[in-house]
C-alpha cells in the first residue's frame, strides 16, 4: 500500500494565540498547498479555536491537540475531553508523548484510554512510543515498544466500535527528543518496521499496513529526507524545528521534494 507522507509539528508549550496566528500567516504566504503532503500542526489548547478557524480554507493542514482527557466528561478539573476537541473541529491529538509519560506519569493504560477516547470522537490519535537511553543501552527498545503497544491493542480490542483504520503512530526515542542526537535513519526504519510487525500480529497485515508511522526526535530540514526516503517511514513529528515558520516551510518543502521525486 502506498501511504501519503505526513509532516506534523508539535509546538509543545510554546506560542500565544497572537504568535500562533502570525506563524500561520507566514506559512500561508508560501505555496504549501500540495495535497500529497499531509500537514498536522499540534498546538496548545488555547490556540485551537483560532487556528481551526483559519485553517478551514486549507484542506491539507489539520489542526491538532497535544493531549486529550482519559475520561469522557465529569469532575476532572483542568482536563479537556475528546468531545470538546471534536466540536472545535480538531482532527488529531497527540497521545502518550514521552513528556506526558515521564513528567506527568501517564501509564501505558492511561495512554491507551486516551487513544480510545479520541477514536470514539473521530479524532485520530498520534500515538507516541519510544525507549529511554537506559532502555536502549540495555537493548530493550523492542520490548518497551511492544509493551506500550500491547496496552493500546488490548484497549482497542475491548472497544469494538472504534475505527482504528486511520491511526497514526510516532516512534520517538526519548533520548533523541530535543537533544540534537537523533536516531540513525536505519535504526528509525528498523524500529518502525518492527512496530508495524507488532500491529500486523495483533490486528492483521492489512490493518497494520493502513496506519501511518512517523519518526520523531531532533528532525530538521537537513535530516528529514534521510528519514522519509523509504517506504517504511511515513513522515516526521517535529518539535523544535517547527516553531519558526520559515523552518517549518523548509520541512514541508523538503517533504514535497521527496514525494514528487
Ligand atoms: P524535537 O521534538 O523535534 O524538538 O526533538 C520532537 C517531539 O517531541 O515530538
Amino acid at each position: 500500500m502506498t501511504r501519503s507522507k505526513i509532516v506534523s509539528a508539535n509546538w509543545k508549550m510554546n506560542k500565544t494565540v497572537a504568535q500562533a496566528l502570525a506563524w500561520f500567516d507566514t506559512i500561508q504566504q508560501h505555496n504549501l498547498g500540495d495535497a500529497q503532503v499531509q500537514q498536522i500542526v499540534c498546538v496548545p489548547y488555547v490556540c485551537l479555536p483560532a487556528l481551526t478557524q483559519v485553517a478551514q480554507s486549507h484542506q491539507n493542514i489539520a489542526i491538532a491537540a497535544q493531549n486529550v482527557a482519559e475520561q469522557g466528561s465529569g469532575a476532572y478539573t483542568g482536563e479537556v475531553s475528546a468531545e470538546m476537541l471534536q466540536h472545535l473541529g480538531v482532527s488529531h491529538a497527540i497521545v502518550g508523548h514521552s513528556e506526558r509519560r515521564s513528567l506527568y506519569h501517564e501509564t501505558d493504560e492511561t495512554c491507551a484510554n486516551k487513544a480510545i477516547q479520541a477514536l470514539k470522537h473521530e479524532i485520530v490519535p498520534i500515538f507516541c512510543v519510544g525507549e529511554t537511553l537506559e532502555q536502549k543501552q540495555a537493548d530493550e527498545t523492542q520490548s518497551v515498544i511492544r509493551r506500550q503497544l500491547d496496552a493500546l491493542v488490548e484497549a482497542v480490542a475491548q472497544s469494538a466500535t472504534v475505527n482504528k483504520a486511520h491511526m497514526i503512530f510516532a516512534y520517538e526515542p526519548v533520548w533523541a527528543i530535543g537533544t540534537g542526537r537523533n536516531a540513525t535513519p536505519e535504526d528509525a526504519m528498523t524500529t518502525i518496521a518492527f512496530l508495524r510487525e507488532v500491529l500486523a500480529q495483533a490486528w492483521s497485515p492489512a490493518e497494520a499496513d493502513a496506519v501511518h508511522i512517523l519518526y520523531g526526535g531532533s528532525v530538521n530540514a537537513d535530516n528529514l529526507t534521510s528519514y522519509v526516503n523509504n517506504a517504511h517511514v511515513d513522515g516526521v513529528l517535529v518539535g523544535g524545528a517547527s516553531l519558526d515558520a520559515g523552518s517549518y516551510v523548509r520541512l514541508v518543502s523538503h517533504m514535497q521534494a521527496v514525494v514528487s521525486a
Side-chain angles (χ1 to χ4, degrees):
M1 166 184 273
T2 315
R3 291 175 298 268
S4 59
K5 294 280 190 195
I6 295 175
V7 173
S8 184
N10 174 15
W11 288 355
K12 311 193 180 188
M13 195 173 73
N14 291 292
K15 296 192 193 296
T16 62
V17 175
Q19 289 165 342
L21 287 169
W23 182 96
F24 205 89
D25 204 43
T26 309
I27 67 151
Q28 270 183 296
Q29 288 161 27
H30 294 81
N31 192 12
L32 296 179
D34 181 347
Q36 286 181 300
V37 176
Q38 197 190 344
Q39 300 173 59
I40 306 169
V41 186
C42 308
V43 306
Y45 282 140
V46 294
C47 296
L48 289 171
L51 286 195
T52 47
Q53 281 290 319
V54 293
Q56 260 175 12
S57 50
H58 295 265
Q59 288 205 331
N60 62 331
I61 303 186
I63 302 299
Q66 300 172 4
N67 190 14
V68 60
E70 186 183 357
Q71 304 84 2
S73 67
Y76 302 103
T77 302
E79 290 293 295
V80 173
S81 73
E83 185 185 14
M84 295 170 190
L85 296 175
Q86 182 185 27
H87 279 259
L88 273 182
V90 171
S91 55
H92 299 72
I94 297 177
V95 171
H97 189 280
S98 71
E99 286 150 18
R100 302 286 328 164
R101 290 178 188 262
S102 65
L103 301 173
Y104 301 97
H105 314 294
E106 291 188 5
T107 64
D108 294 334
E109 287 68 33
T110 305
C111 299
N113 293 340
K114 289 183 172 205
I116 297 297
Q117 280 298 325
L119 288 169
K120 278 185 177 162
H121 291 90
E122 286 160 28
I123 291 172
V124 176
I126 303 174
F127 194 85
C128 300
V129 297
E131 82 288 1
T132 64
L133 186 57
E134 237 177 20
Q135 290 164 334
K136 177 184 166 59
Q137 285 165 345
D139 211 12
E140 291 171 2
T141 299
Q142 295 198 346
S143 59
V144 167
I145 286 170
R146 188 182 286 280
R147 192 199 68 218
Q148 292 169 332
L149 291 176
D150 277 352
L152 174 77
V153 165
E154 200 182 310
V156 167
Q158 284 168 12
S159 220
T161 53
V162 301
N163 177 6
K164 58 187 186 289
H166 305 296
M167 267 196 82
I168 299 175
F169 292 82
Y171 168 52
E172 296 206 304
V174 179
W175 48 270
I177 294 176
T179 58
R181 192 182 158 200
N182 28 1
T184 64
E186 294 70 31
D187 280 352
M189 198 179 84
T190 307
T191 305
I192 284 174
F194 169 76
L195 201 161
R196 201 179 295 283
E197 184 52 36
V198 173
L199 293 177
Q201 285 164 14
W203 296 342
S204 70
E207 287 172 310
D209 216 30
V211 303
H212 283 81
I213 310 180
L214 317 179
Y215 167 75
S218 296
V219 173
N220 55 41
D222 295 331
N223 62 27
L224 175 142
T225 307
S226 65
Y227 288 108
V228 297
N229 228 344
N230 68 77
H232 291 283
V233 186
D234 303 318
V236 286
L237 180 55
V238 189
S242 73
L243 288 175
D244 175 73
S247 169
Y248 176 81
V249 168
R250 280 194 296 283
L251 288 163
V252 178
S253 311
H254 281 62
M255 188 66 104
Q256 284 172 339
V258 170
V259 169
S260 49

